[in-house]
Amino acid sequence: MSGGHSSYTPNTGIEKWVDARLPLPRLIYDSFVAYPVPRNLNYAYAFGGILAIMLVSQIITGVVLAMHYAADTGLAFNSVEKIMRDVNSGWLLRYLHSNGASMFFLAVWVHIFRGLYYGSYKAPRELLWILGVIILLLMMATAFMGYVLPWGQMSFWGATVITGFFTAFPIIGDPIQQLLLGGFAVDNPTLNRFFSLHYLLPFMIAGVVILHVWALHVTGQTNPTGIEVKSKTDTVAFTPYATIKDAFALSLFLILFAYFVFYMPNYMGHPDNYIPADSLKTPAHIVPEWYFLPFYAMLRAITFNIGPINSKLGGVLTMFGSIAILFIVPWLDTSKVRSAVYRPWYKLFFWIFVANAIMLGWLGSRPAEGIYTILSQLGTAFYFGFFIIIMPLLGLIETPRRIPNSITEAVLAKTKSGGQPAGVAAAPETKG
Amino acid sequence: MKKILLGLAAAGLGTMLAFGGGAFAEEAAHNAAEPTHFPIKHPEQMKWSFAGPFGTYDKQQLQRGLKIYKEVCSACHSMKLVAFRSLSELGYSEAQVKAFAAEYEVKDGPNAEGEMFTRKAIPADHFPAPFANEQAAAAANNGAAPPDFSLIAKARAVERGFPQFLIDIFWGQYQEGGPDYIHALLTGFGETPPEGMKIPEGTHYNPYFIAAKSLAMAQPLQDGQVTYDDGSPQTLAQYSKDVSAFLMWAAEPHLEDRKKTGFRVMIFLVLFAGLLYVAKRRIWADIEH
């Protein structure tokens, strides 16, 4: 869609001069001003933009925090407290950064659920989706390593537990763990390499984001109907239409963000992380940050051996598998219809999937015993069942609802049934 | 949009049912004489001047709390991250802070002769620790080193449970789990353990203790132990409240600044969002979508 003709016309002499040498203004104009987007996008589509802003916000606050942080087991905890107490607005930077991580994940979960609901992963957007899953993986690694840096009790024990996963793999497990730790236990080398990688990975994320946006601009955005753009009346120009809508959504998101930063900055953290790391005292419950809880629940749900795979390796494979399975979602979904709007059964199972994910999150925060383990196992079974059984099967047996011929038709039908005058519905596209 | 909301509601309902079942199972596993989940009793939720979006510290209360820390707690508990200079935030003048610091001795050096020496503390110094190191602290306290108090009000909080932890986001902005816990612990020593419960020797039963049924510390505060100059009641209840508030300040000295800044940010964001909404309505006015 963006390939081919450009509608950018340099007017001033300097614009012409630059355009002939490095057409960066042309690229920006074509990508963020003239770029046509479906006219029927709802607010669920605003989270991509929100995520871009969150990435920038995390990088900026992170770079400044790094100026005051000391990556040394003897200094790390107190250097964070120095930021909180003595650095000008240090408390603000640090709360923005720690709550920003939570907000980043909140937005990314909504973004992914939106993709699953509207079938955004289906052809021709498979690579776009896969790049997104890679970003998710990088985000998870970054967030985990960032959580280790304050060197509190949860930092230390979280790092111990998570790097311990790798020992589940036969033969290669122990060397991998030792490479991650820089030794045989979590210690100064671990903290140093985690700090180094925590600083590096966000820039790798930014790189993949560029590819993600590039892929998006090649295929064009999906939309709630799942119908591809067919004519000019199906779209509006990115600016001002999408820009102003995204800006409004972003401002609402920032209100939520600010609410946590200024009024409940420690709500999403764990009190134990205000206790300096102590390798001799294990906390009663080691729990990850809230955004990892569903995966933690799935890890602990495997309490039984499956043939040669013991429960530990089984749990680790289940946890990694829960993300890995996202890579093949474009090929698991056999439906010819893209959007859940026209798929009554898929829609039902989608919402059960959301409820199940929330339930797994809650179970991840509970001790792994009794009823919690059973619920976790049921939840894990549904999580994988949704992708492996329901997705391929529904596409074959479900009867979708009638699909409109075009986005414009869908929009007009909605307006008519809403009782508003259709009027000059097929508004002219104000494309510059 | 309606359908999405409806779907969300259904998802929420299903999740809540599952939570309810789980929470019920948790309650059923409870045994009075040999409890497995701590604390045995949840702390009472107190009223704090620093709670809520417009919360501020009560300086008189913080000064009383400092007195309790100085006269009672500091015998065993360090507060390494707090500098004397920050006591000016409690309403003390520069001279008062200087005089307060001078009551303490800190180790310094080496001097020009290469000797370590002790000198009177200055405002830039931090509260000195009562023990030379953690081992000394543990040896003097029945094997359990008393925790540092700099962050204790943020490092302790009893889980609120479902659905309270969700309600906390929207109603009350509950962030006072730490002071509530400290207050409950300090006032909870008088209770008698349930019949059949064995209390390990050298420990003291307290149903509010977060990690076990009893702890190494004996009841530290009694009625009338500390003399107040401002006429406040010299009771355990009052002492506990005051020292909890003081420890909250020690853990989060910029709380007032944070909440004040937050209010300005919120006003700006709400107005900004309103303007963006109006602009968005105008821009999209001619486009069916």
Side-chain angles (χ1 to χ4, degrees):
Chain A
M1 284 174 71
S2 69
H5 39 76
S6 167
S7 56
Y8 175 72
T9 35
N11 293 318
T12 61
I14 191 155
E15 281 176 81
K16 282 175 189 149
W17 189 88
V18 173
D19 192 53
R21 284 154 182 83
L22 179 76
L24 188 63
R26 177 183 295 274
L27 179 72
I28 292 171
Y29 182 86
D30 290 342
S31 308
F32 302 107
V33 180
Y35 179 64
V37 296
R39 59 195 285 180
N40 59 340
L41 296 185
N42 58 29
Y43 283 107
Y45 285 82
F47 283 87
I50 288 171
L51 283 162
I53 300 291
M54 286 311 297
L55 177 63
V56 172
S57 159
Q58 287 301 86
I59 288 178
I60 292 172
T61 52
V63 165
V64 183
L65 286 170
M67 295 174 188
H68 301 279
Y69 172 77
D72 180 289
T73 53
L75 305 172
F77 188 89
N78 285 356
S79 74
V80 172
E81 273 308 309
K82 190 143 182 91
I83 291 170
M84 291 296 288
R85 288 161 193 271
D86 297 334
V87 172
N88 290 337
S89 298
W91 59 268
L92 178 59
L93 284 169
R94 197 248 175 160
Y95 279 152
L96 279 172
H97 198 71
S98 61
N99 286 282
S102 280
M103 289 294 137
F104 205 156
F105 272 96
L106 179 69
V108 89
W109 295 140
V110 177
H111 191 64
I112 292 169
F113 279 133
R114 192 270 292 148
L116 284 173
Y117 187 82
Y118 291 121
S120 307
Y121 47 82
K122 290 172 83 75
R125 295 180 183 80
E126 301 95 324
L127 276 181
L128 175 60
W129 171 264
I130 287 170
L131 287 166
V133 181
I134 291 171
I135 294 171
L136 174 64
L137 276 173
L138 288 171
M139 275 177 67
M140 293 175 107
T142 310
F144 158 64
M145 286 190 270
Y147 193 57
V148 176
L149 302 186
W151 208 243
Q153 273 288 69
M154 273 307 153
S155 301
F156 180 89
W157 290 98
T160 303
V161 169
I162 296 197
T163 52
F165 293 162
F166 292 91
T167 61
F169 295 106
I171 306 164
I172 53 162
D174 285 328
I176 291 179
Q177 191 213 18
Q178 283 160 25
L179 185 69
L180 283 173
L181 296 179
F184 299 101
V186 177
D187 210 333
N188 207 43
T190 321
L191 183 60
N192 271 298
R193 61 191 58 197
F194 278 20
F195 180 51
S196 171
L197 292 174
H198 183 71
Y199 207 119
L200 168 71
L201 290 186
F203 296 97
M204 291 177 64
I205 293 177
V208 187
V209 165
I210 289 171
L211 297 181
H212 190 65
V213 174
W214 184 9
L216 173 77
H217 281 230
V218 171
T219 60
Q221 280 179 288
T222 55
N223 63 85
T225 65
I227 309 161
E228 292 290 352
V229 170
K230 286 174 182 160
S231 66
K232 265 194 154 189
T233 61
D234 287 345
T235 63
V236 290
F238 190 91
T239 300
Y241 297 100
T243 329
I244 191 73
K245 203 166 176 174
D246 282 358
F248 173 59
L250 174 68
S251 68
L252 293 185
F253 190 81
L254 288 181
I255 289 175
L256 180 73
F257 185 14
Y259 182 82
F260 278 104
V261 167
F262 292 105
Y263 299 126
M264 308 188 80
N266 293 306
Y267 177 80
M268 288 181 284
H270 196 290
D272 276 10
N273 230 24
Y274 279 112
I275 304 172
D278 185 343
S279 58
L280 299 175
K281 281 187 201 134
T282 317
H285 301 292
I286 301 172
V287 282
E289 291 276 81
W290 69 268
Y291 38 80
F292 291 145
L293 288 172
F295 306 99
Y296 195 52
M298 287 192 263
L299 168 86
R300 298 186 306 172
I302 310 302
T303 52
F304 44 84
N305 303 335
I306 311 157
I309 300 168
N310 64 20
S311 60
K312 187 181 176 189
L313 180 58
V316 171
L317 288 175
T318 305
M319 191 185 63
F320 286 132
S322 64
I323 300 289
I325 200 161
L326 295 175
F327 281 107
I328 53 166
V329 160
W331 296 277
L332 288 173
D333 187 350
T334 53
S335 174
K336 295 208 161 48
V337 180
R338 189 174 278 134
S339 169
V341 172
Y342 305 104
R343 301 182 60 191
W345 282 101
Y346 178 74
K347 192 191 280 179
L348 173 73
F349 282 109
F350 170 84
W351 286 112
I352 298 175
F353 180 78
V354 174
N356 182 58
I358 297 171
M359 183 187 79
L360 280 172
W362 176 69
L363 289 167
S365 76
R366 302 289 92 197
E369 59 194 28
I371 182 84
Y372 301 131
T373 306
I374 298 163
L375 283 173
S376 300
Q377 287 165 347
L378 289 173
T380 307
F382 183 82
Y383 182 94
F384 283 94
F386 176 79
F387 291 115
I388 297 172
I389 300 167
I390 294 170
M391 265 197 169
L393 205 61
L394 271 189
L396 302 175
I397 59 172
E398 183 181 33
T399 317
R401 286 169 47 202
R402 195 194 77 81
I403 299 162
N405 292 314
S406 72
I407 295 171
T408 309
E409 189 194 297
V411 169
L412 295 187
K414 200 176 85 183
T415 323
K416 245 178 238 160
S417 68
Q420 290 160 14
V424 280
E429 197 197 357
T430 47
K431 198 169 153 182
Chain B
M1 199 62 206
K2 247 184 225 158
K3 278 177 189 156
I4 293 180
L5 286 177
L6 214 69
L8 263 178
L13 199 73
T15 315
M16 263 155 88
L17 283 175
F19 282 173
F24 183 75
E26 190 177 36
E27 283 306 305
H30 195 72
N31 172 356
E34 281 312 320
T36 48
H37 294 281
F38 300 105
I40 298 166
K41 286 186 185 170
H42 272 244
E44 184 192 348
Q45 203 172 322
M46 307 297 293
K47 278 200 164 56
W48 301 104
S49 67
F50 47 83
F54 303 106
T56 53
Y57 287 120
D58 173 351
K59 285 184 177 153
Q60 283 299 310
Q61 184 175 42
L62 297 190
Q63 293 192 1
R64 294 195 299 270
L66 171 66
K67 196 159 196 278
I68 295 168
Y69 171 73
K70 188 187 165 202
E71 291 181 16
V72 185
C73 320
S74 66
C76 302
H77 293 276
S78 58
M79 198 162 62
K80 294 177 201 166
L81 300 174
V82 179
F84 291 117
R85 62 181 145 78
S86 49
L87 292 177
S88 62
E89 292 159 32
L90 270 51
Y92 292 115
S93 69
E94 216 172 297
Q96 281 172 311
V97 172
K98 239 179 187 169
F100 186 93
E103 291 175 43
Y104 290 82
E105 294 226 309
V106 291
K107 203 169 188 186
D108 202 352
N111 60 16
E113 281 82 46
E115 305 288 330
M116 301 301 283
F117 60 94
T118 51
R119 59 162 172 81
K120 280 184 179 172
I122 56 168
D125 287 316
H126 287 206
F127 276 85
F131 299 102
N133 49 55
E134 201 174 318
Q135 285 72 12
N141 288 283
N142 210 3
D148 184 80
F149 269 5
S150 318
L151 283 163
I152 202 86
K154 288 200 287 186
R156 299 285 186 280
V158 176
E159 245 186 61
R160 297 278 277 173
F162 178 82
Q164 190 59 48
F165 86 97
L166 287 178
I167 298 170
D168 284 343
I169 300 177
F170 307 101
W171 186 254
Q173 304 173 344
Y174 186 70
Q175 285 274 281
E176 290 75 40
D180 275 345
Y181 170 74
I182 297 166
H183 172 267
L185 187 78
L186 289 172
T187 52
F189 278 96
E191 303 201 16
T192 40
E195 234 172 286
M197 184 186 278
K198 287 193 187 79
I199 304 298
E201 199 160 330
T203 66
H204 308 270
Y205 174 73
N206 193 323
Y208 298 100
F209 186 45
I210 202 162
K213 55 195 172 186
S214 59
L215 69 164
M217 177 174 75
Q219 180 168 346
L221 287 167
Q222 333 276 343
D223 283 341
Q225 192 176 349
V226 178
T227 313
Y228 280 155
D229 329 309
D230 65 352
S232 299
Q234 298 177 162
T235 59
L236 171 61
Q238 187 65 37
Y239 292 154
S240 308
K241 274 205 81 167
D242 293 347
V243 80
S244 304
F246 170 73
L247 290 174
M248 187 67 218
W249 168 80
E252 186 82 358
H254 297 299
L255 176 143
E256 285 185 15
D257 194 12
R258 165 160 62 79
K259 291 186 176 185
K260 264 184 215 151
T261 313
F263 187 61
R264 290 199 290 267
V265 170
M266 280 295 180
I267 298 236
F268 168 78
L269 280 177
V270 168
L271 288 176
F272 187 53
L275 287 173
L276 283 173
Y277 181 68
V278 173
K280 186 244 151 197
R281 292 272 301 197
R282 271 197 71 172
I283 288 171
W284 282 83
D286 299 337
I287 309 254
E288 310 273 357
H289 57 282

